[in-house]
Amino acid sequence: MRALILCWCWLLLGGCGQIPVSVDYQSGVDFSRFSHYYWLPPEANQQPESIYNSDLVSARVEQAVEQQLLNRSLLRTDDPELADVLVRYQIGVE
């Protein structure tokens, strides 16, 4: 019985590590010259709301991005003219 439970846990954990993530940026960019960022409004042709694209997921993504930008000393601005970096994300599900 104990071996069966251990095998079951092993199978469950094995399925958790296969989430593909893609990132696009230009390597070699000196981010120290940037000081402010601005959130662009979402694109109009987003996917319909789902478990992967919801207000909760959006809030978590925005919080994670803002924390990473803050860790790099970038401050948020409400004026796009003052921004050095424009930020937008997109969620896609296949």
Side-chain angles (χ1 to χ4, degrees):
M1 183 64 169
R2 192 169 159 181
L4 180 63
I5 292 173
L6 184 60
C7 286
W8 181 250
C9 289
W10 183 261
L11 287 173
L12 286 175
L13 290 176
C16 294
Q18 303 299 323
I19 299 173
V21 174
S22 65
V23 176
D24 187 18
Y25 68 96
Q26 185 176 355
S27 62
V29 172
D30 180 16
F31 282 93
S32 66
R33 61 189 175 122
F34 303 132
S35 61
H36 291 84
Y37 68 94
Y38 173 78
W39 277 103
L40 291 170
E43 291 184 338
N45 60 351
Q46 285 189 350
Q47 292 190 359
E49 185 155 327
S50 69
I51 189 171
Y52 305 105
N53 186 23
S54 66
D55 291 338
L56 177 61
V57 172
S58 294
R60 287 183 177 171
V61 168
E62 290 177 19
Q63 181 182 16
V65 169
E66 288 184 354
Q67 183 61 50
Q68 290 302 311
L69 292 172
L70 185 60
N71 289 348
R72 289 164 178 75
S73 301
L74 273 82
L75 302 173
R76 184 177 184 162
T77 181
D78 293 329
D79 183 357
E81 297 298 320
L82 298 176
D84 302 307
V85 178
L86 303 175
V87 180
R88 177 185 288 156
Y89 70 93
Q90 179 179 347
I91 297 174
V93 179
E94 292 184 35

